[in-house]
Amino acid sequence: MIRSDRRSWPLAIWLALLSGYVDAIGFQQLGGYFVSFMSGNGTMLAVRLAAPHGPLAGAVAILAMLLALFVVGVLVGTLIRLALPRTGQVAVLVLVALLLGGVAVLGDWAAPAMVLAMGVTNATFERDGEVSIGVTYMTGTLVKIGQHLAQTVAGRERWGWLPYLMLWSGFLVGAGLGALAFPLWGLASLAAAVAGALVAAGAAWRLCPAA
């Protein structure tokens, strides 16, 4: 993130908030499964597979489907970025809005598409085919906070940890808002996420490099 254009920081923090919001809604809708935190789903899959008893088949199938959908989302988002070098960010975020809007309209049976949307979101910030800013997985962000705090303690930099803290805080705030919204409005609360993704697409358009 430090190596990225500083103009992208507000957009990254906004998308982290959006991801936290959707993750909290998905977690409640899917009964304890994540839609953006795939490390958690991977751990649960391993636990289910290792459990000596219990209703394994259903949980394993759900977790495998969620993991696959996330990877497909990243794949689709990355292909869009490769096909549209200048406006790929905008196209990715519009697709995220469409996917989340579809879930809000279609309801329960379309809920797993939230995972697809979160996978696509990860293609927003790419450099040389690699993710430059992760906006849905925060463990790496916490590692960066610790690393840059070490640099601060060593006297090599002062504020390198701050953008990572803001990114993590954005995710946390978004998750809290999603936790509050879902009991009130259910999947209709994704309408706010659709609006947020469209706002992000507008911001990305302003950041597009000149033709």
Side-chain angles (χ1 to χ4, degrees):
M1 190 171 182
I2 294 298
R3 296 191 300 271
S4 300
D5 187 341
R6 291 192 179 193
R7 296 180 306 159
S8 298
W9 292 358
L11 177 59
I13 293 164
W14 178 256
L15 289 177
L17 187 150
L18 178 68
S19 298
Y21 182 81
V22 174
D23 202 30
I25 291 172
F27 185 81
Q28 295 173 91
Q29 172 66 32
L30 298 176
Y33 299 105
F34 298 101
V35 299
S36 76
F37 179 49
M38 291 301 112
S39 295
N41 285 341
T43 299
M44 287 194 287
L45 178 61
V47 170
R48 295 292 190 276
L49 289 171
H53 53 76
L56 297 179
V60 168
I62 291 170
L63 288 163
M65 176 188 67
L66 296 178
L67 290 164
L69 283 173
F70 190 83
V71 173
V72 170
V74 176
L75 170 66
V76 171
T78 302
L79 287 173
I80 290 172
R81 291 300 309 273
L82 292 173
L84 302 169
R86 193 174 76 87
T87 59
Q89 269 192 341
V90 179
V92 160
L93 293 169
V94 169
L95 177 57
V96 170
L98 290 172
L99 288 168
L100 294 176
V103 176
V105 171
L106 297 174
D108 294 356
W109 70 270
M114 284 186 281
V115 182
L116 195 64
M118 291 296 94
V120 172
T121 303
N122 276 287
T124 304
F125 297 101
E126 286 193 347
R127 176 176 293 173
D128 300 326
E130 300 288 339
V131 173
S132 59
I133 307 176
V135 295
T136 72
Y137 45 93
M138 292 294 115
T139 302
T141 301
L142 289 173
V143 171
K144 289 293 186 182
I145 292 171
Q147 288 176 331
H148 286 280
L149 281 173
Q151 296 289 335
T152 299
V153 171
R156 297 181 180 179
E157 63 181 37
R158 293 185 63 184
W159 304 108
W161 52 270
L162 184 58
Y164 296 101
L165 177 61
M166 294 172 67
L167 192 70
W168 184 82
S169 299
F171 187 91
L172 192 67
V173 169
L177 292 173
L180 293 172
F182 182 79
L184 297 174
W185 300 295
L187 288 178
S189 54
L190 287 174
V194 173
L198 292 175
V199 168
W205 178 261
R206 292 176 63 98
L207 293 173
C208 283

